[in-house]
Amino acid sequence: MVEMRADGFWRQYSRNKLAVFGLGIVAGVVIGTLCAPLIRPGDPLAVVGYPFEWPGHDPRFPLGTDLLGRDLLSEMLHGAGHSLAIGISVALGASLAGGLIGLVAGYYRGWTDAILMRLAEIFQAVPGFLLVIIIVALFSPSFVTIGAAIVAVSWPSIARLVRAETMRLRSSDFVAACATFGMSDPRILLTQILPNCLPPLIVTTSVMTASGILIEAGLSFIGLGDPAALSWGTMLATGREALYNGWYMSAFPGVAIVVTVIGINLVGEGLNDAFNPRRQRRGG
Amino acid sequence: MFVSANDAPAIRATDGLPIHGRNVLRSPFLRFTLRRLCGSLLLVFLTVSMTFVLIELAPGDMVDVMAGEAGTADPGYIEQLRSAYGLDRPLLLRYAHYLQHVAQFDLGYSFRVNKSVVDLILQRLGPSALLMAAATGLALLGAIPLALLSARFADGFVDRVASMITLISYATPSFLIGLTLILVFSVDLRWLPSGGKDTLFSGLTGWSRFVDIAQHLILPAVTLGAFHFAVYTRLLRASLINVLHEDFVRTARAKGLSELRTFGVHALGNAMLPLVTMVGVQTGALLGGSVVVESIFAWPGLGRLAYEAIAQRDTNLLIAIVMVSTFVVAAVNFLVDILYFWLDPRIEHG
Amino acid sequence: MTAGISDSILEATDIRIGIGGALPLQIVRGVSFSLMPGKTLALVGESGSGKSLMALALLRLLPPPLSILHGTIRFGDIDVTRLGTAALRQLRGAGIAMVFQEPLSALNPVMSIGRQLAEAVRVHQRLSRNALRRRVLELLDLVRLPNAVRQIDNFPHRLSGGMRQRVLIAMALAGRPRVLIADEPTTALDATVQMEILDMLAELQREFGLAVLLISHDLGLVADYADGVAVMYAGSIIEAGTAAHVLSRPAHPYTRGLLGARPPLRPASMPDTGKRVRLVEIPGTVPEPGHAPFGCAFAPRCPHTIESCREAPPPQALIGDGHVASCIRVGEKA
């Protein structure tokens, strides 16, 4: 059984300096998102100044303005929220769907397992990004369709993971013991098996947030982003027009994406190490 | 201690002797191949069906989707489509019609370019394959030495630097890499062209043509391959570190073999196997990634075609591309499995 | 076994193996022995005694972070402990060769055994392709592998355990070594095959005048094949001497315990006196590697412990002709 005390876990996690650094990055992004309405109230898409102002020229716009004269800093802060929102909802959605399917498939085996895994295979057979594109194109881009499309592509790997863990745990002693004193299946699944699946699930989910952000950025870039929304991806799409003389418009959201994704990945690695304390990183 | 099963010969009918020449084509290998083939075909069939389900679920009926919102479709043609696809017929019949068309490789017609969709796709398949192969090649070219060094000096300076490089490669969206490369190499340095597959109307042949295409290929290939370079490096590094703990590495050293040979031949030979499978798995990601990369570099491949289809709202074309891509991925995975079977002598059955 | 130093082909002196650095840990705590050409020394002990590490140290194959903390190993007139990398590689296989315990995992699974053998030959000898092939077949013949010509292209997993071990021995002999270290060469094999392999090893030893270091936990095997025996416990040799002496007149309580815990043994060279030995269990467990108790390491489990046993590590006491034991009470009992 996995018993983790909060302070013990933090101690384990914080041994990895990079992981703490990653956490700092993520925290920074979240804080930036939350403070957006404070630092830059109002509509980020409002035209507030001359276009193509380079960062540093006008003290009102520390990050400059884009090709329509909108405040880049405002766009960055408000856009962060959308990117994060997509990433997190997709990760949670895929975990929920994949986790549920994995649990059921791994526990009940037989036909249920075969059918569910076939389904997973089908979703994995189509190249991920293409499937996302086709779903979003068919159902018109919006937060919901984009989110659903990315979840559709992401759930199979989570399902496989959870299924493997479930199968492993299913044959363990404590589960057998619970069955003998009449615990119902759903209870076993929820209270015994699921908690033990959590560590790898949490790690995978955190990394999935990062890929969710990347996919959303990609979609926006090719024009399938949510037209009503502002995200780092849409900023990149717009910035593409001004690449030669205004590359800073692409640099800011681009670097932001890279840094955020790196931060999330570092957190994921840190979580992984914290859950499985292995040999010391000293050339052991 | 005294394990009795140990002296029984490991393998059966051939008395523990190697299977030579023609024998290979018999039972285990052929059975495996056939089984995999059936599996792949089934998968393609199921995916095509799923595509049908998706189309059915989407707003508007099949023909709206097929004819596209471009409005270039002739009303007479739409009527023809409606009856051809039996949209007044029950669901199952529609499904059957759909399958029939797909099986006959009839994926529709594109009025814009005045070509059948199949022809259009086939035309773009070659350049896509070239780009994907180049990207994979470059990724492996970078990954193998880096992984070797990282694993050899695990947790050392090289390892940490490599880890950072791979993390950045992995985290940077391909369009960012692509745009940066264009800015640096095409605009500032003017070393390489910024788009296209070759210099148009140049009429180059032979070696000069080859060089010309290579020059156009390199930036998009690097862009597409960057992500995979990171994945392969990490995978190979982990695989190598695992293999290094194996006993036969110790035997190799005890024989007096140099570190280079121990590492480069014995360890690498074993560690490559998971990499082979991974390359197959990544084909899908390559195809998906090519949409963005090809659109940035105006590379005339399937990805660019998909991008154009999105821009034109040509859903029919998109669906066709998705289906062909799935087929390609299934085919590549199938070949990779065969290759793996061939490479790993331990596998006797499927 | 500690006859004139000039006779021995391999000499280990006060070897200490462990982890150095800030918190040092010693697993092998001062081991010395010498190997004579044409003779077999058996290094016996339970798991955790450090015997395998000792073997690895002889070829400087200790896995990091373990290393030789102290002592010298002399092969002929070469100091192995100070050898540079290139010379060390030359030594491995050609001067000293080693055969490992698990034949399946000790062979590269994706390389044919012919290629692996050819490799072993090529490291120390430049031969043409034909000559190489002939040498490989010659080696396979030496170890009596049936159907050698067809086995060359075969892969390790398709051979039986005994066959694989023969291949490993062939690989070890490829460089024409003077010393052969066999680390539990038959433990992973069937009883009948064990005898075959060991008989074959004995023959090869006679044919090539090899000095053999046979590492084992099995006293029964040792009795039949060893000329000398050294018993290791918790990182030190607690008794050593000729096989005849150690096995028939064990002086150290641990050796007695080991022998007592087995069905009656009799070295091939001794006549059957008809005496039967009581089956006795040694209570307690072997100390953790690196955490031997102060004083005599065996004291906690020894039925004859006295106060002074825990005060200092017992020195080696000479009992008979070349027979030593590390016990302070050795002289007392009959």
Side-chain angles (χ1 to χ4, degrees), chain C residues 28-73:
Chain C
V28 173
R29 309 174 300 136
V31 163
S32 311
F33 57 79
S34 44
L35 294 180
M36 303 294 170
K39 298 260 188 258
T40 303
L41 171 66
L43 194 57
V44 174
E46 295 171 280
S47 47
S49 56
K51 54 193 199 300
S52 288
L53 286 180
M54 192 58 229
L56 287 174
L58 293 173
L59 274 179
R60 304 251 311 265
L61 280 176
L62 288 170
L66 292 169
S67 60
I68 302 177
L69 299 171
H70 179 92
T72 49
I73 300 170

Side-chain angles (χ1 to χ4, degrees), chain B residues 250-262:
Chain B
R250 188 177 57 177
T251 310
R253 288 206 179 107
K255 286 200 293 202
L257 294 179
S258 65
E259 271 304 295
L260 185 66
R261 199 175 158 86
T262 307

Side-chain angles (χ1 to χ4, degrees), chain B residues 3 6-7 10 16-17 261 270, chain C residues 108 119 154 157-158 188 190 193:
Chain B
V3 181
N6 239 318
D7 227 29
L17 292 170
R261 199 175 158 86
N270 278 269
Chain C
N108 188 340
E119 224 182 19
N154 213 350
H157 66 280
R158 314 197 78 226
D190 250 0
V193 182

Side-chain angles (χ1 to χ4, degrees), chain A residues 2 16 27 38 74 199 271:
Chain A
V2 170
N16 186 347
L38 292 171
S74 182
L271 285 172

Side-chain angles (χ1 to χ4, degrees), chain A residues 63-238:
Chain A
L63 294 183
T65 62
D66 71 355
L67 65 168
L68 286 180
R70 301 184 286 212
D71 181 7
L72 273 183
L73 180 60
S74 182
E75 286 189 296
M76 285 284 290
L77 287 173
H78 288 266
H82 192 258
S83 299
L84 270 185
I86 283 272
I88 295 176
S89 16
V90 155
L92 286 176
S95 298
L96 214 64
L100 208 63
I101 293 180
L103 274 175
V104 170
Y107 193 75
Y108 290 110
R109 306 303 308 276
W111 276 110
T112 325
D113 183 23
I115 293 178
L116 287 173
M117 282 304 108
R118 253 309 156 237
L119 200 63
E121 247 189 273
I122 298 173
F123 275 89
Q124 282 183 313
V126 183
F129 197 58
L130 284 176
L131 186 58
V132 171
I133 289 177
I134 194 76
I135 294 179
V136 173
L138 275 177
F139 293 87
S140 288
S142 75
F143 188 93
V144 173
T145 52
I146 294 177
I150 303 180
V151 168
V153 168
S154 316
W155 74 262
S157 51
I158 293 195
R160 278 187 202 276
L161 187 83
V162 173
R163 171 181 178 267
E165 282 293 301
T166 307
M167 288 200 296
R168 190 179 62 85
L169 291 163
R170 182 171 165 269
S171 51
S172 63
D173 291 339
F174 65 89
V175 169
C178 290
T180 49
F181 56 75
M183 205 188 252
S184 70
D185 281 344
R187 264 200 87 168
I188 293 183
L189 278 175
L190 275 173
T191 58
Q192 307 298 325
I193 298 189
L194 183 60
N196 282 284
C197 291
L198 279 181
L201 188 60
I202 291 178
V203 175
T204 315
T205 307
S206 66
V207 175
M208 207 142 262
T209 323
S211 49
I213 294 181
L214 281 173
I215 298 179
E216 187 271 332
L219 278 176
S220 304
F221 189 75
I222 56 175
L224 279 177
D226 186 352
L230 168 71
S231 74
W232 289 338
T234 57
M235 286 175 74
L236 275 165
T238 333

Side-chain angles (χ1 to χ4, degrees), chain A residues 118 121-123 125-131 133-135 137-139 141 207 214 217-218 221-224 236 240 243-244 247 250 254-255 257-258 261-262 265-266 269 279-284, chain B residues 42-43 46-47 50 54-55 57-59 65 154-155 160 167-168 170-173 175-176 179 182-183 187 234 284 287-289 291-292 295-296 306-307 310 313 315 318-319 321-322 325-326 329:
Chain A
R118 253 309 156 237
E121 247 189 273
I122 298 173
F123 275 89
V126 183
F129 197 58
L130 284 176
L131 186 58
I133 289 177
I134 194 76
I135 294 179
L138 275 177
F139 293 87
V207 175
L214 281 173
F221 189 75
I222 56 175
L224 279 177
L236 275 165
R240 187 182 175 180
L243 196 60
Y244 295 129
W247 56 267
S250 306
V255 169
I257 292 179
V258 175
V261 169
I262 289 182
N265 269 301
L266 287 176
E269 277 178 32
R279 58 177 182 86
Q280 297 304 309
R281 292 178 62 86
R282 255 190 298 114
Chain B
L42 180 67
L43 196 59
L46 286 172
T47 316
M50 180 185 77
L54 270 179
I55 298 174
L57 284 176
V65 170
D155 295 330
R160 287 190 210 277
L167 190 55
I168 296 179
Y170 184 87
T172 314
F175 45 92
L176 207 59
L179 291 176
I182 289 181
L183 264 183
V187 178
R234 291 190 159 219
L287 271 168
V291 175
V292 170
S295 71
I296 294 180
Y307 179 70
I310 295 169
R313 290 265 177 268
T315 341
L318 260 182
I319 291 170
I321 294 177
V322 170
S325 307
T326 313
V329 170

